[in-house]
Amino acid sequence: MATKRTQEIVEALRRYCAAEAIGPGGQLPQERDLARRLGCSRETLRKALAELERADDLWRHVGQGTFLGSRPLGHPVREAILVQGASPLQLMQARLTLEPSVAAEAAMLATPASLAYLSGLVDQGRRAKTRSDCERLDAAFHRGIAEVTGNPILLGLLDYLAGVRRHAAWQREWDITYRTLGVDAFTERHSQQHEEVVTCIRRGAATEASDAMRRHLETIFSAMKGAGLPS
């Protein structure tokens, strides 16, 4: 649900478009200029634009801009809408599909330098004391495994999925899970599982690395379902 401030900017956007006679298909100014005209931050503006996009009142295309009206036929659904429409459990299902294979690939390509990097991330994660540090280091570890593969497509897919964590829905639902687990249990259990993944990668055991990653992600998946999150 949009906040009061976001809804205010939604209405301000509608008034602005009417005043400037921007009709269907018309292009809105760039975000920086539009935020200045409406007297809001770019973050608030983006939330308002997302609300209007969900209502099919405007559409956006990376590299082209923001346009009033419904998205023309033939234009792909904007990636951000897919992310915003996904539940935390759907994200975990996607990760379970992708990341075990990435870990298996890493096991076949790891170098001493990349193994040292991953081990360092595990050690840092074990020493994490706050939720933000846990999340940051967990994301760095999973991204690090994709980096080992040297495959920009895999890395891009992992980055895309990781972007969900920045959305309010994920943060709200993950907070429930995190409080249910407790920081100590979360840090120790996840660090141990991360270490198991690295051990398999170090041995070059692709199947075992895949299985270790799957067990790790299933632990998170089960904890989230146990916290009563909607699928």
Side-chain angles (χ1 to χ4, degrees):
M1 180 179 296
T3 65
K4 180 179 179 182
R5 179 57 175 162
T6 300
Q7 194 57 46
E8 289 174 351
I9 300 304
V10 166
E11 297 304 322
L13 272 166
R14 290 195 170 110
R15 291 193 297 270
Y16 171 81
C17 291
E20 297 295 320
I22 302 176
Q27 186 170 7
L28 275 64
Q30 294 184 350
E31 284 186 2
R32 187 186 303 276
D33 185 27
L34 193 54
R36 179 181 57 78
R37 296 187 190 194
L38 298 178
C40 66
S41 67
R42 293 179 71 178
E43 180 181 0
T44 299
L45 173 63
R46 289 181 185 127
K47 292 178 180 178
L49 291 171
E51 287 292 319
L52 288 169
E53 191 168 13
R54 279 193 287 270
D56 202 30
D57 290 334
L58 59 80
W59 63 281
R60 293 180 281 179
H61 192 286
V62 177
Q64 295 184 21
T66 302
F67 303 86
L68 200 65
S70 299
R71 178 181 298 275
L73 294 177
H75 280 273
V77 176
R78 189 170 177 269
E79 291 177 352
I81 298 300
L82 295 178
V83 169
Q84 292 164 2
S87 72
L89 292 183
Q90 287 172 328
L91 166 67
M92 292 308 305
Q93 289 169 336
R95 292 182 65 187
L96 275 163
T97 299
L98 177 64
E99 292 195 49
S101 296
V102 176
E105 186 76 6
M108 295 184 286
L109 298 170
T111 64
S114 61
L115 287 166
Y117 174 64
L118 291 176
S119 293
L121 290 173
V122 173
D123 290 340
Q124 291 178 57
R126 184 171 279 115
R127 295 194 299 270
K129 299 299 182 185
T130 66
R131 191 184 90 171
S132 61
D133 283 344
C134 286
E135 289 190 7
R136 176 177 58 83
L137 291 165
D138 179 68
F141 175 79
H142 286 271
R143 190 181 198 278
I145 293 177
E147 289 172 352
V148 171
T149 70
N151 187 322
I153 302 300
L154 292 177
L155 188 57
L157 288 170
L158 263 293
D159 282 345
Y160 177 66
L161 294 176
V164 180
R165 298 187 185 199
R166 294 190 291 272
H167 289 276
W170 168 269
Q171 290 294 328
R172 181 175 59 254
E173 305 296 0
W174 179 242
D175 183 62
I176 297 172
T177 305
Y178 186 83
R179 285 189 279 107
T180 300
L181 291 173
V183 61
D184 292 336
F186 177 89
T187 301
E188 182 55 38
R189 184 186 309 174
H190 283 64
S191 295
Q192 181 179 352
Q193 291 178 336
H194 283 178
E195 189 169 16
E196 290 170 359
V197 173
V198 175
T199 297
C200 295
I201 292 175
R202 180 176 288 109
R203 292 206 309 268
T207 300
E208 293 177 24
S210 175
D211 291 343
M213 177 60 76
R214 181 172 298 281
R215 286 194 299 272
H216 169 53
L217 294 174
E218 285 175 344
T219 296
I220 303 173
F221 194 45
S222 296
M224 296 178 79
K225 289 192 292 186
L229 302 191
S231 59

